[in-house]
Amino acid sequence: MSQDKVREFFNQPGYLKNSSDRISIRADIVKQFLGTRANVSILDIGCGDGSLSLPMLSESNSITLVDISENMIEKVGQRVPAALKSNVTLVNDSFELVSDGDRYDIVICVGLIAHVPDVSRLWRKIGTVLKPGGLLVVETTPNPYPLGNLLLPYYFIRRKLTGQAPGYAKNRLKVRDLLASATSIGLEQKAHVRYSFPLPGMSHWTHAMKIKYTLFTLKNPLMSQIGSEHIFLFQRASA
């Protein structure tokens, strides 16, 4: 997977608008998982516009925001309050450029696994920088749609026609592999949610309607069981 292709995909001018519903849902789940915290250092890998981590920025909290996309780093930089800029570090590069000597209380890794060239290197970095007792929020979409492979040809053709195709094959990390990787670096699962994104034809719905549908798949026991997106909260054992 070429980093240039990944950078090009996330630099698209309409990316944030087209993804607004999934970003909102993910941000709400991260907030539910982490709540309100003080005196913590946060690493947001693949930060996008900062919707998931910036709500935690405060005088006592610091955030390192990492994204390979120049467009995303520019957007998130514009959202940082002037009074708190000294508490924020922006890294416009690969997650591998995060120093192994840094340690974080919280690592957020949502919307990233599908786009990294080597998932094993991502887990190594998380294992290196997450403090004992620290928390990890991580997401995987092993099967992108509730109806599985039956809908993949439809989405492939649609994205080619609309120009929304990333130009590379995304990683589809299975849940069992994610859990095995988390266990290998001493993480214990604390929470897990599962839900689905809108189906074919729903892309033209309003933002509010798409949010309502996604929340339904999150909260309905049956729909949740066939959800395509998994978000986990893990905690590392204390030293």
Side-chain angles (χ1 to χ4, degrees), residues 16 23-24 26-28 44 47-55 76 79:
L16 289 175
I23 292 172
S24 295
R26 289 169 172 176
D28 286 345
D44 188 352
C47 64
D49 70 346
S51 293
L52 278 60
S53 56
L54 278 184
V76 72
R79 298 184 64 189

Side-chain angles (χ1 to χ4, degrees), residues 215-231:
L215 286 175
F216 169 70
T217 70
L218 172 66
K219 296 176 181 179
N220 181 277
L222 177 60
M223 292 295 290
S224 178
Q225 288 301 308
I226 61 172
S228 56
E229 174 124 329
H230 299 254
I231 302 183

Side-chain angles (χ1 to χ4, degrees), residues 107-121:
V107 174
I108 298 173
C109 183
V110 174
L112 178 70
I113 284 177
H115 306 281
V116 297
D118 189 329
V119 179
S120 64
R121 294 208 300 266

